[in-house]
Amino acid sequence: MITVYDARGEALVVESDMPPENLPEDIVWIDLLHPDKAEDRLIERFLGIEIPTREDLKDIEPSSRLYSTEDAIFMTASLVCRAESGHPVLTDIAFVLARGKLITVRYDEPKSFDLFRAALHRIPGGCRNGTMLAMRLFETVVDRTAEILEHAVAKLDELSMQVFVERRVGKRRPPHYLEAKLLDVASYHRLVAKTRDSLASLSRLLTYVYATPLLQQEKEARDLCRTVTLDVQSLSEHASFIANNITFLLDASLGLIGVEQNAIIKIFSIASVVFLPPTLVASLYGMNFAHMPELQWTYGYPMALLAMVISAVIPFYFFRWKGWL
């Protein structure tokens, strides 16, 4: 699908069979979502450039993701998509600056694009060209990334309370409670890792586009690019801090699981030690020797029971006195 936007944010859906000369000349943004070959050819004839394909976007070589020609600047960035779904992914999106227009090629729908489209008509004075519009779009992408990190921090704080505070107040946890929390920790680790990769990709893109002659010619776009680059650097540091917190939470959860398992093993160990002396007493009087005077006592049986109880109680209180229980 091809959607074009003018400087005021007015949108127009373009069919692939439309003649290139019928496209409005005042458009500043051409958004290609899941484009087919016919749609690619239409925009190529309209702008006189080659549109990156899905295979081109998957290329990880820097020279294939960031490069310029005489007519256009080609950039590819990886953005976080489906962050709220629990299964975040990185989607590669191409940004092309050509003939004063921004062309985006994408095969997924990051929320940042929806936010930008909704706010496009509210930009004071609009976006007079594709360069300025691209900087505004990058600004929205960074804001959305910051929102993802803030959401992750809030959820991690809640998870930390569940792991530590409930343990501190002495509540009994359900079986496999901490094991379930490990899955949540792994989910947030995946989200933050994807976010860090996206920020690294944006940082390389912004550094590259800032050095291009096209951006150096426009002071407003250049200043905005510098501001967005600083925001990306700050968010990268914040993401690293969050990643360290996730690592701590993971280690702490594993440690608490080990403590609970050791407590269970300790209970079995103490139980075996407590019942060992009564077992010894019972074993002695279970022997079938001919000469065992205690077997002829009137109170032999109660005395044997009393001896077994005393032999169990003494180790129990000894362990309590040593603080092992």
Side-chain angles (χ1 to χ4, degrees):
M1 183 177 69
I2 303 176
T3 308
V4 297
Y5 300 83
D6 61 16
R8 299 178 301 277
E10 298 296 330
L12 173 66
V13 177
V14 176
E15 299 295 335
S16 59
D17 56 354
M18 177 184 291
E21 57 271 12
N22 290 351
L23 287 174
E25 284 293 337
D26 61 343
I27 59 176
V28 295
W29 181 20
I30 303 175
D31 184 30
L32 287 84
L33 177 60
H34 299 286
D36 54 27
K37 293 183 179 180
E39 292 171 337
D40 284 342
R41 286 195 296 267
L42 172 62
I43 301 303
E44 288 174 351
R45 293 197 304 270
F46 176 65
L47 297 176
I49 62 173
E50 184 177 352
I51 298 299
T53 63
R54 182 191 289 265
E55 290 71 22
D56 295 333
L57 297 182
K58 293 180 180 179
D59 202 328
I60 63 175
E61 291 294 332
S63 59
S64 300
R65 296 175 69 90
L66 303 169
Y67 64 93
S68 301
T69 64
E70 294 181 358
D71 302 319
I73 300 174
F74 295 84
M75 301 166 289
T76 302
S78 300
L79 305 186
V80 179
C81 193
R82 300 193 289 275
E84 290 86 0
S85 66
H87 300 281
V89 296
L90 286 178
T91 178
D92 293 323
I93 298 178
F95 301 87
V96 183
L97 293 174
R99 294 178 54 184
K101 299 173 176 53
L102 170 67
I103 303 94
T104 54
V105 183
R106 54 197 179 99
Y107 294 89
D108 214 325
E109 303 183 43
K111 189 176 180 180
S112 53
F113 275 70
D114 295 333
L115 296 173
F116 183 69
R117 284 198 302 266
L120 186 57
H121 67 279
R122 295 197 298 267
I123 298 177
C127 295
R128 62 183 180 273
N129 55 43
T131 304
M132 194 62 199
L133 188 139
M135 295 303 109
R136 292 289 185 184
L137 178 55
F138 294 146
E139 184 181 34
T140 304
V141 169
V142 172
D143 290 341
R144 170 58 182 163
T145 305
E147 181 183 348
I148 293 173
L149 289 177
E150 290 174 1
H151 177 75
V153 168
K155 290 297 183 180
L156 285 170
D157 286 342
E158 181 181 349
L159 183 60
S160 179
M161 295 283 287
Q162 294 172 358
V163 170
F164 294 108
V165 176
E166 291 186 5
R167 176 68 176 178
R168 180 167 53 83
V169 299
K171 291 184 179 180
R172 185 177 180 83
R173 293 183 175 131
H176 307 294
Y177 177 85
L178 287 175
E179 287 85 343
K181 297 304 176 185
L182 288 179
L183 297 178
D184 294 335
V185 173
S187 175
Y188 294 126
H189 178 269
R190 176 182 175 85
L191 175 61
V192 174
K194 296 294 183 184
T195 304
R196 294 177 70 182
D197 290 341
S198 176
L199 289 171
S201 174
L202 286 171
S203 178
R204 291 193 297 268
L205 184 150
L206 291 169
T207 302
Y208 176 81
V209 72
Y210 184 82
T212 59
L214 177 63
L215 203 72
Q216 294 299 320
Q217 296 171 3
E218 300 192 27
K219 182 179 184 303
E220 185 179 1
R222 186 175 68 250
D223 293 341
L224 183 56
C225 182
R226 185 187 302 112
T227 301
V228 176
T229 301
L230 293 176
D231 291 340
V232 169
Q233 293 174 355
S234 299
L235 287 178
S236 297
E237 295 174 359
H238 186 51
S240 299
F241 172 75
I242 298 173
N244 291 334
N245 287 343
I246 292 176
T247 302
F248 166 75
L249 188 58
L250 176 62
D251 294 341
S253 300
L254 292 173
L256 290 175
I257 291 175
V259 169
E260 292 187 355
Q261 292 176 343
N262 290 337
I264 295 173
I265 295 174
K266 182 177 72 173
I267 292 174
F268 280 105
S269 300
I270 293 175
S272 62
V273 172
V274 167
F275 286 104
L276 182 61
T279 303
L280 177 62
V281 174
S283 301
L284 290 174
Y285 289 101
M287 298 178 183
N288 294 321
F289 291 109
H291 300 285
M292 293 186 70
E294 295 86 352
L295 297 180
Q296 307 300 323
W297 290 357
T298 302
Y299 299 102
Y301 176 67
M303 290 295 294
L305 293 179
L306 180 62
M308 285 188 286
V309 171
I310 292 175
S311 64
V313 170
I314 289 177
F316 176 78
Y317 281 102
F318 177 76
F319 291 153
R320 288 286 299 271
W321 174 67
K322 297 292 285 185
W324 297 343
L325 285 177

